[in-house]
Amino acid sequence: MRRTINIWEGLDKITILIFLLMVIIGWFNIYAAVYNEEHSKILDLSQRYGKQFVWIVATLVLAVFVVIIDNRFYFFFSWFIYAGILLLLILVLIIGREIFGARSWFEFGPLSLQPSEFAKFATALALATYLSSRRYNLTRIVVFAVASSIFLLPAFLIALQPDMGSAVVFFAFFIVLLREGMSPYIFISGLIMIILFFLTLLFNNLYITGALIGLAFLMTLFATRKLRLCISGLGILVLITGMLELLNRFVIKSFGNELVIFISLIISGVVYGLYIYNKKAIPVLIIYFFLLGSIIFMHTVNYTFNKVLKPHQKERVEIMLGFKSDPRGTGYSVNQSMISIGSGGFSGKGYLQGTQTKFKFVPAQSTDFIFCTVGEEWGFLGSVTLVGLYLFLLLRLLFLAERQKSVFSRIYGYGVISVLFIHFFINIGMAVGLLPVVGIPLPFFSYGGSSLWGFTILLFIFLRLDASRNEHLI
């Protein structure tokens, strides 16, 4: 049977308009970020803004090409695309070009391509195919493990380059799993681990342990609605901790306070478990194991921070948390970015009038820190407008994803939303000093062909699927 659907009529014009606005506004801001009076023509191919124009033209051609491909192609060949990208991620570790300490690029004469940018859409396709093919249930451990490995594998290969910023982006796919039925406790646990990581660096472990015990008490009270049960558990913990502390003080004499509390928690958990066994208080046991896991994780943070992170990564976290100030060293980029954004005031200094921009105070100003150009030249109004444009795009994509009749298309749509959101959130967060500098571009805005192509393919595959949402995909 012939398909009579008109693809061009089915494409979401609002999303395409936002895409074009971002690309064009981004191009003009790249021009402002690297403006050279000796090469003032915006189409000068010897400058970044001229090269970006070539990338933009090629991007529009690429977008058309992505749209005219049959939508079923993306489903049936998703695993081949994914495998091909994994192969490229392995090859780039062997024969790739090293830039700024990361072997992330293939070089073909004057052309350089970064395969990690294309791994995002390939991973989204593979994940959508796996979860939709047999309607897998993410509450099953095996299904969850396989689904997670689909995006953790490219993240691992990218981390080997090492490009930790791009690797972190792939954790955004947990948002997709949450939408498709993953237990919210896993997602919340992940968020708590991130928060706990920073709290452990900020405060004494003993104080955090006490806070976690108090939180566990409140959670138990909320879950069981039985005050007596909660007080009993707290009483058992206090009694055993007191006995163990006396034993340590007069007999053992080698345990620290944290070890005493941890051992007391384990013993108390066994005693308390026997006490509530017949009361069927399963939620209490879940909270207890969560408490133990949090404390164990907390004690691994210092090792991870001191032994696993590289020195420059440690410095970035320390600067963000206020442990040290290095305005001329590691913290130079963030410090200059915040000065640039703050100097723009309410309405900005005007296009091409930014002094921080003009005198190149901010490194990577056309790529990772492109947002500071907006802040300086367009001020608070321009910054809010840009942020609003991104939020509107994300909400529009959310609407498109939820209207899909195909499970594959919906899952892929959420993959697009997750990747764009994490890029937007981290890029602007590091530009204003709220997050460590990890070096990832602002979608459709930052200079670079690989990122622009990768985001365009990611977005327009979804627009192609949405245009055919009334068709039977599989």
Side-chain angles (χ1 to χ4, degrees), residues 248-417:
N248 178 53
R249 178 170 298 183
F250 297 106
V251 180
I252 302 175
K253 300 181 180 181
S254 61
F255 288 174
N257 291 331
E258 294 178 29
L259 185 58
V260 168
I261 293 175
F262 185 71
I263 295 174
S264 299
L265 279 171
I266 295 176
I267 299 173
S268 300
V270 174
V271 175
Y272 192 55
L274 294 173
Y275 171 72
I276 66 172
Y277 179 76
N278 293 325
K279 301 181 184 295
K280 300 181 179 180
I282 301 299
V284 179
L285 294 178
I286 294 174
I287 294 170
Y288 169 73
F289 286 120
F290 180 78
L291 172 63
L292 274 187
S294 297
I295 293 174
I296 293 172
F297 171 78
M298 182 183 66
H299 283 84
T300 65
V301 167
N302 288 328
Y303 176 83
T304 302
F305 186 74
N306 293 310
K307 302 295 184 181
V308 176
L309 294 184
K310 295 182 180 297
H312 70 278
Q313 294 170 334
K314 288 172 55 179
E315 282 188 312
R316 288 170 179 173
V317 174
E318 288 171 341
I319 290 170
M320 184 195 73
L321 295 176
F323 290 165
K324 64 163 54 176
S325 176
D326 188 14
R328 296 184 180 274
T330 304
Y332 177 78
S333 296
V334 175
N335 187 55
Q336 292 299 322
S337 175
M338 291 190 294
I339 291 173
S340 180
I341 294 171
S343 68
F346 184 72
S347 58
K349 297 176 179 178
Y351 189 57
L352 298 180
Q353 301 303 311
T355 53
Q356 293 288 113
T357 297
K358 184 176 294 183
F359 295 109
K360 310 293 187 293
F361 282 106
V362 184
Q365 191 161 331
S366 63
T367 52
D368 300 340
F369 286 94
I370 189 69
F371 184 72
C372 71
T373 305
V374 179
E376 182 177 22
E377 298 193 346
W378 302 104
F380 176 77
L381 288 177
S383 300
V384 169
T385 300
L386 179 61
V387 170
L389 200 59
Y390 273 102
L391 292 177
F392 184 71
L393 173 62
L394 291 171
L395 290 173
R396 183 64 186 177
L397 292 176
L398 185 63
F399 167 75
L400 297 184
E402 286 297 333
R403 76 178 183 181
Q404 300 305 306
K405 296 181 179 179
S406 161
V407 177
F408 171 82
S409 300
R410 185 188 70 231
I411 296 173
Y412 180 81
Y414 269 89
V416 177
I417 296 166

Side-chain angles (χ1 to χ4, degrees), residues 128-154:
T129 302
Y130 173 72
L131 292 177
S132 65
S133 58
R134 296 184 182 179
R135 305 293 193 274
Y136 283 119
N137 186 352
L138 278 167
T139 58
R140 295 175 54 197
I141 296 178
V142 174
V143 174
F144 173 75
V146 174
S148 300
S149 67
I150 290 174
F151 55 84
L152 292 180
L153 179 56

Side-chain angles (χ1 to χ4, degrees), residues 56-212:
I56 291 172
V57 172
T59 294
L60 298 178
V61 175
L62 180 63
V64 173
F65 180 74
V66 170
V67 167
I68 63 176
I69 294 178
D70 191 295
N71 62 311
R72 292 172 294 186
F73 170 86
Y74 298 112
F75 176 82
F76 289 110
F77 288 91
S78 60
W79 288 115
F80 293 99
I81 297 171
Y82 177 73
I85 291 296
L86 289 182
L87 179 61
L88 291 178
L89 291 176
I90 294 172
L91 287 176
V92 79
L93 294 172
I94 303 171
I95 61 174
R97 180 188 174 193
E98 185 173 318
I99 300 177
F100 299 122
R103 193 176 296 275
S104 307
W105 301 81
F106 287 118
E107 196 169 52
F108 308 97
L111 180 66
S112 296
L113 290 176
Q114 190 176 7
S116 61
E117 295 295 342
F118 302 96
K120 296 160 191 173
F121 83 83
T123 302
L125 285 173
L127 184 62
T129 302
Y130 173 72
L131 292 177
S132 65
S133 58
R134 296 184 182 179
R135 305 293 193 274
Y136 283 119
N137 186 352
L138 278 167
T139 58
R140 295 175 54 197
I141 296 178
V142 174
V143 174
F144 173 75
V146 174
S148 300
S149 67
I150 290 174
F151 55 84
L152 292 180
L153 179 56
F156 172 73
L157 293 174
I158 293 169
L160 292 178
Q161 295 177 1
D163 182 1
M164 298 307 297
S166 295
V168 166
V169 170
F170 285 81
F171 285 84
F173 286 104
F174 276 112
I175 299 175
V176 181
L177 300 190
L178 179 65
R179 168 60 182 84
E180 295 304 315
M182 178 185 75
S183 171
Y185 293 111
I186 297 176
F187 190 79
I188 294 172
S189 298
L191 292 179
I192 291 177
M193 286 173 65
I194 295 173
I195 296 171
L196 195 58
F197 177 86
F198 290 106
L199 287 178
T200 303
L201 298 178
L202 287 169
F203 301 104
N204 185 286
N205 285 0
L206 194 60
Y207 297 150
I208 300 176
T209 300
L212 287 171

